[in-house]
Amino acid sequence: MIAGLGNDVITSDSGSSHIIADYGSLHYNAAGILVSAVTTDANLGGDDRVSLVQGDNVILAGDGQDRVQTGSGTDYIVGDNGEISFDDAGVVTRVATTFYEQGNHDNINAGDGLNFVLAGIGNDAIISGDNDDWIVADNGEINFVDGIARSLMGTDTVASTAGDNTITSGRGMTALLLA
């Protein structure tokens, strides 16, 4: 789903979802498998609310003061602008923020499950539930080999694209980068 401009409310109580809350593109291969999700028009967007109860989810919230909440499952969440790439079998290869200077203060509540969260610019609040979590508090990227996270790095080069973030993590391994 691509919601576009405006203050959107997106909810789902089951299944796996692919969500771009503002502008972007979702690319699928001939077998119908998601191979990339990318935000575009980085300066256009709204204050969106995304609530997904279960499933494995791909979420790019885009510009604005967004609220993202997920339940159990494996979640790939970018609080502002970014891109998420998969191979032709649907195995994740990279999650990264883009348009480092565009975005806002976000509230991300990643529930229980394996979570990969990149908050982006702004003073963000991040809560993750129980299980393993990989969190980049500002701009950065996570790279994967065979679907396993192998590196976590910050990409902020100036202080103005970072923020004062609040992070609360549940039980489990947490790899945290305060970029």
Side-chain angles (χ1 to χ4, degrees), residues 13 24-26 32 42 58-59 73 84 89 105 121 126 136 142 164:
D13 61 2
S25 58
L26 298 167
V58 172
I59 305 162
I84 304 173
H105 313 300
I121 192 172
I126 304 162
V136 177
I142 303 170
D164 296 325

Side-chain angles (χ1 to χ4, degrees), residues 10-19 49-59 68-75 77 109-115:
I10 302 162
T11 60
S12 175
D13 61 2
S14 64
S16 297
S17 300
H18 304 153
I19 306 289
R49 305 293 176 257
V50 179
S51 179
L52 308 174
V53 177
Q54 294 181 18
D56 298 336
N57 302 295
V58 172
I59 305 162
V68 175
Q69 181 172 354
T70 62
S72 60
T74 299
D75 298 313
I77 303 169
N109 187 343
D112 295 341
L114 180 58
N115 299 302

Side-chain angles (χ1 to χ4, degrees), residues 66-175:
D66 304 308
R67 290 186 172 278
V68 175
Q69 181 172 354
T70 62
S72 60
T74 299
D75 298 313
Y76 304 95
I77 303 169
V78 177
D80 292 316
N81 293 289
E83 59 186 338
I84 304 173
S85 304
F86 302 86
D87 67 16
D88 279 336
V91 177
V92 67
T93 58
R94 183 172 179 258
V95 180
T97 57
T98 59
F99 302 107
Y100 302 149
E101 297 175 357
Q102 296 292 328
N104 214 315
H105 313 300
D106 301 311
N107 185 316
I108 300 168
N109 187 343
D112 295 341
L114 180 58
N115 299 302
F116 301 93
V117 178
L118 290 86
I121 192 172
N123 301 328
D124 303 305
I126 304 162
I127 299 171
S128 65
D130 294 341
N131 209 331
D132 296 344
D133 301 301
W134 292 68
I135 300 170
V136 177
D138 293 307
N139 290 299
E141 66 182 69
I142 303 170
N143 293 292
F144 300 78
V145 175
D146 297 327
I148 306 297
R150 295 292 186 200
S151 69
L152 175 84
M153 68 179 80
T155 54
D156 283 305
T157 58
V158 294
S160 64
T161 61
D164 296 325
N165 304 294
T166 303
I167 299 153
T168 305
S169 180
R171 292 185 301 259
M173 187 282 303
T174 300

